[in-house]
């Protein structure tokens, strides 16, 4: 203990000693993460967003891990069938001064199980849709549902029939920079403090303020600074972001993340996964280019499933691959029906992505689709460590040329049948110039060149 205190006293004022085991920005290439001192690529998919609420959590995490997955989303949400709320219910009303112990036991158990498996958790503090429409009607924070405050004391609505994009629930305007509604804010802080009481005990947690928010930037800023301060009080460094609602990465909402690295140490670009094809890639690359300083970009929700209207299976799979080939730090299939979750199809692609990225130092690569020629729109995408190794991903069968003029002359080429998670035989090729690549069959393919 004396040695630790001595070390602390030698640090510059306000600096916190870095815990090398904690999830943090990769020092060598800050577009990625590192965990336990090693760079880590985050890949995932799950049946739900609030996994701590599901009954078979351990089996589900084992299934994810068996496919090479190491990344889950954790909305602090209570609205689904079988969920419980965070506060204790006394007869017909909730008491916001008492916790539902089962809720917090579930959360703590989830954190322990994911930590044991080195699965990174991205928490979303405020589950936006829990506070609108029918969910607000049963939410403990609604004055009609608790014994702690009234409508008159809080100016909170009894009903909110509009979509969250309208931002019409004053619950999200409680902070000092807005309505300064201290009665509500007291219990909001109490909830966040309880989350942090458990989560700050673990090294594998990232923090996102909201799910698809459309409220003012002051709200996210307040909570990001609040949890940073709480972590700082315990000499802990944490990573924070915000998830804006707009599907357009160049909407003014996203500038609040782009322009404020001191508030948001990483970005979440999940809403870009409403875009399709070449536009999906182009927007992400333009967004990456605007980041200053370079930070990880996470994609915790990849939409696309034949079951819903945010794109089909093919869209979801393409988005997953374009995100990683495009230099994002994470990619996770959104829960069904909006995404492929941890379905059989998703598991095949998770396994293939891990097979591929385990055979290349992806953390030294950068998106390099300009290496490709004779290419149709959305036909192929490349990432490369110029001179050493490259990946080319094909969403469907096709032929392109790749310029290997800056690569070693003696190389090997290996095709990966993504749908089957199966390597084909290695083929020697001669670099130093253009090489033609033709997929061996139909479906999704990737080729590893090194």
């Amino acid at each position: 203990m004396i040695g630790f205190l001595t070390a602390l006293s030698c640090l510059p004022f306000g600096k916190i000693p870095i815990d090398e085991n904690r999830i943090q920005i990769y020092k060598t290439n800050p577009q990625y993460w590192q965990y336990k001192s090693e760079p880590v690529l985050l890949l995932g998919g799950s049946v739900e967003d609030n996994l701590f609420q599901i009954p078979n959590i351990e089996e589900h995490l084992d299934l994810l891990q068996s496919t090479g997955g190491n990344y889950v989303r954790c909305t602090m949400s209570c609205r689904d069938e079988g969920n419980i709320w965070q506060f204790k219910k006394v007869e017909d009303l909730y008491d916001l001064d008492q916790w539902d112990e089962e809720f917090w036991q579930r959360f703590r158990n989830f954190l322990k199980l994911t930590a044991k498996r080195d699965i990174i958790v991205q928490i979303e503090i405020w589950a936006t849709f829990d506070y609108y429409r029918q969910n607000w009607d049963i939410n403990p924070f609604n004055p009609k549902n608790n014994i702690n405050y009234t409508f008159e004391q809080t100016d909170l609505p009894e009903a909110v029939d509009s979509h969250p994009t309208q931002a019409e629930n004053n619950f999200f305007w409680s902070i000092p920079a807005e309505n300064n509604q201290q009665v509500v804010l007291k219990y909001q802080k109490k909830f966040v403090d309880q989350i942090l009481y458990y989560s700050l005990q673990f090294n594998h947690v990232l923090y996102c303020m909201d799910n698809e928010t459309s409220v003012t930037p002051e709200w996210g800023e307040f909570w990001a600074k609040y949890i940073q301060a709480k972590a700082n009080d315990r000499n802990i460094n944490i990573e924070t972001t915000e998830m804006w609602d707009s599907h357009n990465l160049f909407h003014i909402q996203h500038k609040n993340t782009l322009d404020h690295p001191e508030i948001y140490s990483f970005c979440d670009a999940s809403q870009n996964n409403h875009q399709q094809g070449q536009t999906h890639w182009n927007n992400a690359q333009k967004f990456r280019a605007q980041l200053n300083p370079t930070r990880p970009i996470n994609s915790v929700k990849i939409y696309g499933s034949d079951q819903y209207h945010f794109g089909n299976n093919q869209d979801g799979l393409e988005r997953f691959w374009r995100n990683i080939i495009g230099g994002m730090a994470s990619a996770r299939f959104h829960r069904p029906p909006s995404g492929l979750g941890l379905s059989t199809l998703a598991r095949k692609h998770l396994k293939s992505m891990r097979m591929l990225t385990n055979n290349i130092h992806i953390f030294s690569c950068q998106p390099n689709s300009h290496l490709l020629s004779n290419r149709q729109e959305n036909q192929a995408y490349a990432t490369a460590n110029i001179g050493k190794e490259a990946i080319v991903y094909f969403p469907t069968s096709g032929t392109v040329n790749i310029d290997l003029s800056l690569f070693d002359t003696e190389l090997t080429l290996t095709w990966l049948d993504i749908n089957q998670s199966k390597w084909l035989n290695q083929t020697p090729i001669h670099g130093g110039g253009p090489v033609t690549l033709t997929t061996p069959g139909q479906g999704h393919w990737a080729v590893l060149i090194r």
Side-chain angles (χ1 to χ4, degrees):
M1 176 62 74
I2 294 175
F4 176 71
L5 292 175
T6 302
L8 278 179
S9 68
C10 297
L11 291 168
F13 179 76
K15 294 290 185 179
I16 297 173
I18 299 297
D19 179 355
E20 295 296 334
N21 288 324
R22 181 169 291 277
I23 184 73
Q24 59 194 270
I25 297 172
Y26 181 38
K27 295 178 178 62
T28 304
N29 182 356
Q31 77 184 47
Y32 291 108
W33 296 106
Q34 69 177 53
Y35 180 57
K36 295 184 175 179
S37 301
E38 297 293 334
V40 59
L41 180 66
L42 306 184
L43 305 175
S46 56
V47 68
E48 279 293 354
D49 300 333
N50 54 346
L51 283 178
F52 70 98
Q53 295 265 24
I54 72 171
N56 59 333
I57 176 61
E58 199 157 2
E59 294 85 351
H60 200 62
L61 293 175
D62 286 341
L63 182 61
L64 172 65
Q65 191 174 43
S66 72
T67 67
N70 63 346
Y71 178 53
V72 292
R73 181 183 180 213
C74 180
T75 55
M76 300 306 296
S77 175
C78 314
R79 67 180 183 267
D80 295 332
E81 184 178 353
N83 291 179
I84 53 179
W85 293 89
Q86 64 270 54
F87 299 106
K88 185 175 181 178
K89 198 168 191 179
V90 181
E91 296 181 352
D92 294 329
L93 296 174
Y94 290 96
D95 182 355
L96 305 189
D97 287 318
Q98 298 188 65
W99 298 120
D100 185 301
E101 295 300 332
E102 173 63 20
F103 176 95
W104 296 105
Q105 179 58 38
R106 290 181 183 184
F107 182 56
R108 180 175 182 270
N109 185 53
F110 164 74
L111 292 173
K112 290 175 65 176
L113 292 172
T114 48
K116 180 180 178 181
R117 292 162 175 79
D118 290 333
I119 294 174
I120 303 302
V121 172
Q122 184 168 317
I123 291 178
E124 286 166 30
I125 303 293
W126 300 109
T128 302
F129 286 82
D130 280 23
Y131 302 89
Y132 283 84
R133 297 176 172 175
Q134 69 272 21
N135 302 316
W136 178 243
D137 188 57
I138 59 173
N139 193 309
F141 280 107
N142 189 325
K144 75 174 184 177
N145 297 325
N146 70 62
I147 64 172
N148 306 91
Y149 51 61
T150 66
F151 293 107
E152 292 74 20
Q153 290 173 317
T154 62
D155 198 31
L156 290 176
E158 180 174 352
V160 188
D161 296 326
S162 58
H163 191 274
T165 53
Q166 302 303 308
E168 290 181 345
N169 190 345
N170 285 342
F171 180 86
F172 295 100
W173 298 73
S174 62
I175 59 172
E178 298 292 351
N179 291 345
N180 194 25
Q181 179 42 258
Q182 290 294 321
V183 175
V184 177
L185 190 60
K186 168 188 172 181
Y187 290 104
Q188 291 173 332
K189 288 180 177 179
K190 179 182 175 71
F191 175 47
V192 174
D193 288 348
Q194 186 75 346
I195 294 172
L196 297 176
Y197 172 79
Y198 292 103
S199 65
L200 290 178
Q201 298 176 39
F202 296 90
N203 291 333
H204 67 302
V205 179
L206 302 169
Y207 296 87
C208 181
M209 300 307 105
D210 294 271
N211 170 42
E212 300 176 17
T213 187
S214 293
V215 299
T216 65
E218 284 78 12
W219 167 266
E221 177 181 352
F222 175 87
W223 290 111
K225 290 181 175 179
Y226 183 83
I227 68 172
Q228 287 165 3
K230 291 290 184 177
N232 288 347
D233 287 345
R234 295 181 56 178
N235 291 313
I236 294 172
N237 286 283
I238 61 169
E239 312 294 344
T240 55
T241 195
E242 179 64 286
M243 186 195 297
W244 305 99
D245 179 70
S246 177
H247 302 178
N248 175 13
L249 289 180
F250 312 107
H251 188 281
I252 192 171
Q253 286 181 347
H254 295 282
K255 278 186 63 63
N256 294 296
T257 305
L258 278 170
D259 294 349
H260 293 285
E262 77 283 3
I263 302 172
Y264 302 121
S265 58
F266 71 104
C267 302
D268 188 280
S270 293
Q271 293 303 84
N272 188 53
N273 293 313
H274 285 284
Q275 307 296 337
Q276 294 178 304
Q278 191 70 44
T279 300
H280 175 255
W281 171 274
N282 291 347
N283 286 0
Q285 294 310 301
K286 183 178 176 182
F287 187 78
R288 286 181 73 249
Q290 292 180 1
L291 279 179
N292 184 22
T294 299
R295 284 168 276 166
I297 303 175
N298 282 7
S299 190
V300 77
K301 293 190 298 186
I302 295 177
Y303 301 93
S305 161
D306 289 350
Q307 301 176 56
Y308 212 54
H309 52 256
F310 296 149
N312 56 25
N313 286 357
Q314 178 71 17
D315 288 314
L317 297 171
E318 288 186 20
R319 289 161 177 157
F320 174 73
W321 283 88
R322 280 192 297 260
N323 281 333
I324 297 303
I325 301 300
M328 289 200 178
S330 80
R332 172 193 160 272
F333 291 110
H334 196 16
R335 55 155 174 77
S338 301
L340 290 168
L342 200 53
S343 62
T344 300
L345 185 57
R347 296 199 304 272
K348 287 180 179 178
H349 281 249
L350 281 166
K351 182 179 180 180
S352 291
M353 181 68 82
R354 191 63 77 184
M355 288 170 62
L356 186 65
T357 55
N358 279 350
N359 280 277
I360 190 173
H361 197 261
I362 191 71
F363 311 105
S364 298
C365 293
Q366 292 292 335
N368 272 290
S369 287
H370 66 273
L371 295 173
L372 305 178
S373 60
N374 190 31
R375 172 190 177 278
Q376 304 300 313
E377 184 173 287
N378 195 40
Q379 186 177 26
Y381 300 90
T383 188
N385 182 6
I386 298 295
K388 295 184 177 181
E389 51 191 357
I391 294 171
V392 182
Y393 161 64
F394 290 80
T396 57
S397 59
T399 298
V400 299
N401 296 330
I402 184 169
D403 181 6
L404 299 178
S405 59
L406 296 178
F407 287 71
D408 292 339
T409 55
E410 300 306 321
L411 302 166
T412 60
L413 182 154
T414 313
W415 286 97
L416 176 63
D417 184 342
I418 292 173
N419 286 333
Q420 300 301 319
S421 301
K422 180 180 179 181
W423 290 107
L424 303 190
N425 291 333
Q426 285 188 358
T427 303
I429 60 171
H430 193 74
V435 171
T436 299
L437 303 173
T438 300
T439 56
Q442 299 297 310
H444 296 260
W445 289 88
V447 61
L448 175 62
I449 299 169
R450 57 182 179 177

